[in-house]
Amino acid sequence: LEWNVTVRVQQISFPDITRDTHEELRDYTIALYSASGSLPADGMHVSCSEGSLIIQTTITNAGGKSQESLDARIPRIMSVETKGDLEGLILDTTGLMEASTGDMLVGDLVGSRAGMNAVSFGMTVQNINYAILAADSDLLARFETSIKETIAAQVGNGVTSGDISLLVSAGSVIIDAIIYPPSGVEASAVESTFASAATTFGDAVVTKITEI
């Protein structure tokens, strides 16, 4: 039972990140994810890699939780609120400020489950009235199509709109997406591509839905 949650921070010179900063980053990422998902910290392992800075957290089944229970907690970790908290911590980290090459940009959290060739993530579209959207089935269908087309264009790897499942809910509009890569494409490849494009994804969504 294992999930990988990845986030990419742009405008960072990875070789300039000190060991102390790596440890600080690891500690507060684990503390945040543990609190957000109500999961034990000893079931989490954080690793960082270059490009600019990619933070990958492996979350395992510590505490004897079932796969279903673990799966249910992951969306809390990948929520917009958790991403905002992590972004605040990253932007306030002195060691990362010193290693930055410009204004740091924190991408969306992207998750993939071991043993399942799929990638899931969540996002919130602000300033849209969900009740009005949900009341118009044609408008909702066009909205979902626009989101799927945008995701497919961003992740590449042969992914099409038909490979994407969406759940749209209130608050302004919350979108939970699962990408099922086509045959021969690993979820890790899609996850990596999406993590690289995450900082521009929001602008792409806004551009697309304004065309509806």
Side-chain angles (χ1 to χ4, degrees), residues 34-51:
S34 176
S36 298
S38 299
L39 289 166
D42 60 3
M44 300 185 184
H45 172 73
V46 173
S47 61
C48 298
S49 57
E50 191 165 3

Side-chain angles (χ1 to χ4, degrees), residues 114-188:
M116 181 177 74
N117 197 41
V119 175
S120 63
F121 70 95
M123 67 174 295
T124 298
V125 181
Q126 301 285 355
N127 300 319
I128 292 182
N129 189 313
Y130 174 77
I132 294 175
L133 183 65
D136 187 331
S137 58
D138 179 63
L139 180 61
L140 178 59
R142 286 187 285 128
F143 177 82
E144 291 183 346
T145 296
S146 293
I147 296 297
K148 289 181 178 181
E149 289 177 349
T150 304
I151 294 171
Q154 292 288 305
V155 302
N157 289 287
V159 172
T160 68
S161 297
D163 299 319
I164 300 167
S165 173
L166 291 184
L167 174 63
V168 180
S169 55
S172 299
V173 175
I174 297 174
I175 301 168
D176 292 303
I178 301 178
I179 305 169
Y180 298 95
S183 177
V185 178
E186 293 296 325
S188 58

Side-chain angles (χ1 to χ4, degrees), residues 8-13 52-53 96 99-105:
R8 184 170 186 253
V9 185
Q10 296 195 44
Q11 303 290 354
I12 294 284
S13 174
S52 299
L53 167 62
L96 293 181
S100 68
T101 58
D103 292 335
M104 289 183 281
L105 301 172

